[in-house]
Amino acid sequence: KQEVTQIPAALSVPEGENLVLNCSFTDSAIYNLQWFRQDPGKGLTSLLLIQSSQREQTSGRLNASLDKSSGRSTLYIAASQPGDSATYLCAVLDSNYQLIWGAGTKLIIKP
Amino acid sequence: ETGVTQSPTHLIKTRGQQVTLRCSSQSGHNTVSWYQQALGQGPQFIFQYYREEENGRGNFPPRFSGLQFPNYSSELNVNALELDDSALYLCASSPGRGQGNGELFFGEGSRLTVL
């Protein structure tokens, strides 16, 4: 059974720092991995989608990597801003075509 | 381009009651997926509808049911509500079949509280 874990559960950093969020999954048989952002009490916004054949995707200050063999993905945020404060979730599309989600990392960027 | 809209945004019910949540998909999208998100947890897949037919279901009991209409809007119905059904219910639309083949567009969610 596929399980997705995100560590740490919460992270607080000063504005301007570069930071890395981690996502690990137990079964490497995935079709893709996505990173989402969720603001308090709100829906989710897709940030980056990495297909299983890809190693990374970039969008602006965000860069996501995927290492399928080790079951890991990272989301790198450069030059963090207070507006980046949110919960970041990763989800993998498993071999049954189901999205399996992590519980998220709550990120706080201090001005 | 119209985004995904959900209604109601908040509602309170008591145990044993029934609830209907509604979702309008993004223009041009024929697939709608429903998720349950408990506080502090990631979303759990409930089911998906593709062109008015159920196209996959997660580990939820039959009292969770749904519909998709010809305009691709959708309803989630939950009967015999239990306290553990309290959660944020999220709807996501996408232009193709499957949960993650392409980008998912989420609504703001419906916050259900069961007392």
Side-chain angles (χ1 to χ4, degrees), chain A residues 37-91:
Chain A
R37 169 188 172 134
Q38 186 172 32
D39 293 288
K42 302 290 188 180
L44 298 110
T45 301
S46 179
L47 298 173
L48 291 164
L49 184 153
I50 312 176
Q51 300 293 350
S52 62
S53 58
Q54 297 175 321
R55 295 299 298 268
E56 66 177 344
Q57 283 286 336
T58 298
S59 176
R61 294 183 294 108
L62 305 180
N63 175 278
S65 69
L66 174 63
D67 184 343
K68 233 176 49 163
S69 60
S70 68
R72 293 182 184 177
S73 176
T74 61
L75 178 66
Y76 174 83
I77 302 177
S80 58
Q81 303 170 358
D84 295 330
S85 297
T87 297
Y88 291 81
L89 297 103
C90 70

Side-chain angles (χ1 to χ4, degrees), chain B residues 47-97:
Chain B
F47 44 58
Q48 180 188 79
Y49 280 85
Y50 171 70
R51 294 187 174 182
E52 302 179 60
E53 292 191 1
E54 189 176 288
N55 180 48
R57 186 179 182 94
N59 190 26
F60 279 81
R63 59 189 185 86
F64 286 78
S65 63
L67 283 173
Q68 188 177 33
F69 300 99
N71 66 355
Y72 303 131
S73 66
S74 178
E75 285 183 356
L76 164 64
N77 298 290
V78 186
N79 293 322
L81 284 168
E82 301 176 359
L83 296 179
D84 285 348
D85 295 334
S86 296
L88 181 67
Y89 287 85
L90 295 163
C91 166
S93 75
S94 56
R97 207 167 187 167

Side-chain angles (χ1 to χ4, degrees), chain A residues 4 8 18-20 25 32 42-43 65 67 90-93 100 106:
Chain A
V4 178
N18 303 324
L19 59 100
V20 173
F25 47 96
N32 62 44
K42 302 290 188 180
S65 69
D67 184 343
C90 70
V92 299
L93 187 67
I100 309 298
K106 183 176 181 179

Side-chain angles (χ1 to χ4, degrees), chain A residues 23-34:
Chain A
C23 172
S24 61
F25 47 96
T26 55
D27 187 345
S28 62
I30 65 170
Y31 288 102
N32 62 44
L33 182 145
Q34 296 187 61

